[in-house]
Amino acid sequence: MTSSSLVRWIVFAPLAGFIINFLFSRFIKKYLVSIIASLAVLLSFVFSCILFFRLKAMPSDTAISDVVFNWMNITNLNINIAFVFDRLSAIMSLVVSGVSFLIHIYSIGYMDDDSDFKRFFSYLNLFVFFMLVLVLANNILLLFVGWEGVGLCSYLLIGFWYENINNSKAGKKAFITNRVGDAFFIAGMVVIYYILSSNGFYNLDFNTINSNVSLFYNTSIFGVSSLTLIAILLFIGATGKSAQFPLYVWLPDAMAGPTPVSALIHAATMVTAGVYLVARLIPVYSASVSALNFILYISAFTAIFSAIIAITQRDIKKILAYSTISQLGYMFMGVAGGIYIGGIFHLVTHAFFKALMFLSAGAVIHALSNEQDIFNMGSLNKKLKNIFIVMGVGWLSISGFPFLSGYFSKDFIIENLYLSGHKGIWLVAVVTAFLTAFYMTRMFNIAFIKESKKELHPHRPTSVMTIPLYILAILAIISGFFINGFISFAGVNRTEEFLPLTVKYTPVVLSLLGIICGFVLTVDRISDFLSTSLSWLHKIVYDKFYVDEIYDFLIIRPLGWISKTTFNIIDRVIIDRTLVEGTARAFYQGGRVSAISQNGNAQIYAVYMLFGTAIILLVYLSSVPLLNLIYWIYSNIVFAFTEIMKYI
């Protein structure tokens, strides 16, 4: 099989798994469904590995393309279903298929007792298919198909346990919030095609877009540079998928889904789609200083804001969710400031250690019969030793502990922010590094190390759940050491510049300080004193600065009132009561009036006939002006009707 034809099978393998399981699951045994689903994703990973090594042997600007078929050819618009395997999509394909495979294996044990076991694996395969469409698409319209597809699957998986109304609401919240961002994404695509088609380019291929940045730069729309407009519109779309301010609010609620879903969608794959989009269009963004600054300020604020919220949370999955939002802010800062591949490298390392932490949290929740409050845990280092060890790897890695993967990728971003001249953003990044180490240590200490306040009897997770954790733990330890090879493979030249020692070591010092504070400030006496003396501040932060309540007051309630009022006026009054019921009443009343004259008296009917005949003759023979004739007829009708009524 040639390299180009192999690309499509990276995408179609999980689609085949979905079709088989979705259509024929009733005829297939339970565990065979999970095996088919897992093997389908494993095939994607194997094909990705084969193409990765083939691509590595080629020049850095080479890409392996695969045109499957022509999708649409309308007037001049020509779009193909085509995939591209280049340096960037190769990295994403390996991460998506590799981590997804481990999560599929883990899910076999985690979802074992679920009555909808087969449906769950069907949805997982469909999600991986759409995610691979997103990262391998060679044009922005096909990428948008994958973009919408993962949004649909996210809705299905977040609300998987739909019998619980809160889960259903969380799924709807994720779906609707993402649609807001998608509206801006579509607007960005429309502007791109308008400018390209005006200059004789009738496709939306990424090569065409990135090669014609000058066309966008030299065109303005309503007095605004189209380059900046496109970049900002697409980034706002990315804030929906990648949970950046102000469209981040769906992700914490999305923890309502099964924990493997949290690991798959909200740690390793879907939420990184926005980061990937910016990286894919980096020539466009690099040409717009305004757009890059916009991304930097939004992502820096999101990173520190969500880190602050995570400090007070009690739900172990909510803590990890706000951590994901914060780390996504780091990724955007990395893509937009300095060397863009730094953000992608952090995306890769984050996929390992955050998937590890989510799955470890899932093992704890599973072992404690769905307990998620960290204050109802404790002493798990003694009762779940293997989970304690792997969670410890994830905790140290995300905290930036020296020589683990998070240390390399996070520090690389922070250093490049300083070298790019964004000193204010650099300061926010290092403070966020301290906060990350602090709240992660707080969670780890309370859940695993501190003595439990009640007797716990957790059951040990099965091997099918723990083996993926060991693999992810190894990747979280060693992946950071491949940073130079990663950057070289991506075809980016790393510029070695002098950094003051204070700047170079500030992030790691603050991370270690955050770890120390995480242990000290969770001592019972100190934490009780702080929560009592600063109870008002604790409540504000714990309630997430009331952002959801503000959105409810400013957006949801007004829209609800407008929609209800519009419904009552247009639907109830105009359509139902006036057009539908009013028409019926008019005919009913007309029928009643007509019924008066239809009394079965032959003499009366003869009068009607004579009267009608007289009117016809008068109209035909009379030379009376029309208005006089109408008045004369009207007065005679009234007179005749009055006389007729005497006989009734």
Side-chain angles (χ1 to χ4, degrees):
M1 187 177 291
T2 63
S3 296
S4 59
S5 61
L6 194 61
V7 177
R8 70 184 66 179
W9 291 109
I10 297 175
V11 177
F12 293 152
L15 177 63
F18 164 73
I19 292 172
I20 292 170
N21 285 334
F22 190 76
L23 295 181
F24 305 108
S25 60
R26 61 181 298 183
F27 308 110
I28 305 174
K29 291 185 177 180
K30 174 181 174 180
Y31 288 111
L32 185 57
V33 168
S34 63
I35 292 171
I36 292 171
S38 301
L39 286 177
V41 180
L42 178 61
L43 279 175
S44 291
F45 179 69
V46 171
F47 295 150
S48 298
C49 289
I50 293 171
L51 288 175
F52 169 80
F53 288 108
R54 291 182 185 178
L55 188 67
K56 189 178 179 182
M58 300 177 182
S60 60
D61 58 348
T62 305
I64 302 171
S65 299
D66 181 10
V67 179
V68 182
F69 61 86
N70 184 254
W71 180 13
M72 60 179 74
N73 196 341
I74 306 170
T75 311
N76 291 321
L77 177 62
N78 186 23
I79 304 291
N80 292 321
I81 298 294
F83 305 110
V84 61
F85 196 86
D86 59 7
R87 260 49 180 180
L88 180 58
S89 60
I91 293 167
M92 294 297 296
S93 180
L94 285 169
V95 171
V96 170
S97 57
V99 175
S100 296
F101 171 67
L102 294 176
I103 292 172
H104 273 68
I105 298 300
Y106 175 93
S107 299
I108 296 173
Y110 190 89
M111 300 296 291
D112 184 45
D113 296 329
D114 197 280
S115 59
D116 282 326
F117 183 89
K118 296 179 179 180
R119 179 167 64 92
F120 181 79
F121 277 91
S122 296
Y123 288 170
L124 284 188
N125 265 188
L126 185 63
F127 171 83
V128 176
F129 161 70
F130 278 122
M131 191 66 204
L132 289 169
V133 169
L134 191 158
V135 301
L136 291 171
N138 87 327
N139 63 78
I140 196 169
L141 187 59
L142 183 58
L143 180 147
F144 187 69
V145 171
W147 187 277
E148 291 296 279
V150 294
L152 168 65
C153 294
S154 175
Y155 165 75
L156 295 173
L157 288 166
I158 293 168
F160 183 77
W161 290 320
Y162 56 85
E163 297 89 349
N164 186 323
I165 189 63
N166 291 328
N167 295 354
S168 298
K169 288 181 178 179
K172 288 190 292 183
K173 185 175 183 178
F175 193 80
I176 294 170
T177 305
N178 275 273
R179 297 294 74 72
V180 175
D182 293 348
F184 288 91
F185 190 115
I186 293 170
M189 283 197 298
V190 170
V191 176
I192 288 172
Y193 183 70
Y194 169 74
I195 294 171
L196 288 179
S197 61
S198 299
N199 290 275
F201 298 97
Y202 299 103
N203 63 70
L204 290 168
D205 293 356
F206 287 116
N207 281 339
T208 304
I209 296 171
N210 289 330
S211 301
N212 291 279
V213 175
S214 59
L215 296 179
F216 307 121
Y217 186 83
N218 296 322
T219 308
S220 62
I221 298 176
F222 301 117
V224 179
S225 167
S226 60
L227 181 69
T228 301
L229 182 63
I230 290 167
I232 291 178
L233 285 173
L234 293 178
F235 173 69
I236 295 174
T239 62
K241 275 290 180 291
S242 294
Q244 296 296 282
F245 186 87
L247 299 179
Y248 72 94
V249 291
W250 65 272
L251 196 143
D253 289 4
M255 297 301 107
T259 302
V261 173
S262 304
L264 178 65
I265 297 179
H266 311 120
T269 54
M270 190 190 89
V271 291
T272 62
V275 180
Y276 171 76
L277 175 66
V278 175
R280 174 57 70 188
L281 294 173
I282 199 62
V284 174
Y285 282 93
S286 297
S288 176
V289 176
S290 300
L292 287 180
N293 288 335
F294 182 74
I295 294 174
L296 283 171
Y297 289 125
I298 292 294
S299 57
F301 175 78
T302 304
I304 194 167
F305 181 72
S306 53
I308 292 170
I309 294 175
I311 291 172
T312 60
Q313 299 304 303
R314 299 172 61 102
D315 187 313
I316 190 170
K317 289 175 68 175
K318 288 284 182 71
I319 296 170
L320 295 176
Y322 281 107
S323 170
T324 297
I325 298 170
S326 183
Q327 297 304 305
L328 287 165
Y330 267 114
M331 294 176 208
F332 276 113
M333 284 189 280
V335 170
I339 302 177
Y340 83 92
I341 204 66
I344 299 299
F345 184 56
H346 192 57
L347 182 156
V348 174
T349 60
H350 178 267
F352 298 147
F353 61 68
K354 186 53 70 65
L356 170 64
M357 296 187 79
F358 264 116
L359 295 183
S360 298
V364 171
I365 295 167
H366 192 268
L368 297 178
S369 302
N370 298 318
E371 179 60 68
Q372 295 185 199
D373 190 331
I374 59 174
F375 287 93
N376 291 332
M377 301 176 187
S379 305
L380 296 180
N381 57 335
K382 302 172 184 175
K383 300 176 180 179
L384 295 172
K385 292 182 180 180
N386 53 348
I387 304 302
F388 165 72
I389 293 171
V390 293
M391 179 64 100
V393 172
W395 155 59
L396 290 174
S397 184
I398 195 174
S399 298
F401 194 82
F403 309 116
L404 296 180
S405 59
Y407 163 78
F408 288 102
S409 59
K410 194 184 297 184
D411 280 20
F412 184 64
I413 291 172
I414 294 172
E415 289 174 6
N416 279 289
L417 286 172
Y418 184 87
L419 292 173
S420 66
H422 298 95
K423 303 298 179 12
I425 304 296
W426 172 85
L427 181 60
V428 172
V430 294
V431 172
T432 304
F434 166 79
L435 294 174
T436 302
F438 170 71
Y439 68 72
M440 278 301 173
T441 304
R442 167 185 174 268
M443 180 201 76
F444 186 74
N445 186 34
I446 294 172
F448 284 88
I449 299 176
K450 290 186 68 175
E451 289 296 322
S452 174
K453 295 180 180 179
K454 62 180 183 179
E455 188 67 26
L456 298 176
H457 301 283
H459 55 271
R460 294 185 177 277
T462 60
S463 297
V464 76
M465 291 175 63
T466 55
I467 290 174
L469 298 181
Y470 300 149
I471 296 172
L472 287 169
I474 293 170
L475 291 170
I477 293 171
I478 68 172
S479 58
F481 289 98
F482 298 100
I483 181 170
N484 291 324
F486 181 92
I487 294 171
S488 175
F489 173 76
V492 177
N493 294 321
R494 182 176 183 180
T495 305
E496 296 291 344
E497 296 187 45
F498 174 75
L499 271 176
L501 292 179
T502 53
V503 173
K504 185 174 182 61
Y505 293 111
T506 294
V508 67
V509 170
L510 285 179
S511 295
L512 294 174
L513 181 61
I515 291 174
I516 295 170
C517 290
F519 282 112
V520 172
L521 298 182
T522 50
V523 173
D524 289 339
R525 287 178 296 175
I526 298 176
S527 62
D528 291 343
F529 171 76
L530 291 175
S531 60
T532 302
S533 59
L534 298 174
S535 58
W536 60 274
L537 181 60
H538 182 278
K539 179 171 174 54
I540 292 173
V541 177
Y542 181 76
D543 290 332
K544 302 161 288 187
F545 293 96
Y546 305 105
V547 172
D548 283 311
E549 289 78 5
I550 292 171
Y551 284 1
D552 182 68
F553 180 77
L554 294 180
I555 299 174
I556 298 174
R557 290 186 184 182
L559 285 176
W561 180 85
I562 291 171
S563 61
K564 185 176 181 180
T565 303
T566 304
F567 172 79
N568 287 333
I569 294 174
I570 295 178
D571 196 274
R572 289 300 186 202
V573 176
I574 297 177
I575 295 177
D576 287 351
R577 296 176 187 171
T578 303
L579 297 180
V580 178
E581 297 174 4
T583 302
R585 282 195 299 268
F587 278 102
Y588 178 74
Q589 295 299 332
R592 290 188 63 186
V593 172
S594 299
I596 296 174
S597 61
Q598 302 298 321
N599 59 3
N601 191 321
Q603 293 176 331
I604 297 299
Y605 294 160
V607 172
Y608 293 161
M609 294 175 64
L610 290 173
F611 184 71
T613 303
I615 290 174
I616 294 171
L617 289 173
L618 284 171
V619 171
Y620 181 74
L621 298 174
S622 176
S623 59
V624 180
L626 183 60
L627 291 176
N628 292 337
L629 177 62
I630 292 172
Y631 177 76
W632 181 84
I633 292 172
Y634 171 76
S635 58
N636 279 279
I637 289 174
V638 173
F639 173 77
F641 188 79
T642 304
E643 292 297 315
I644 290 169
M645 292 298 292
K646 294 178 181 179
Y647 294 96
I648 299 176

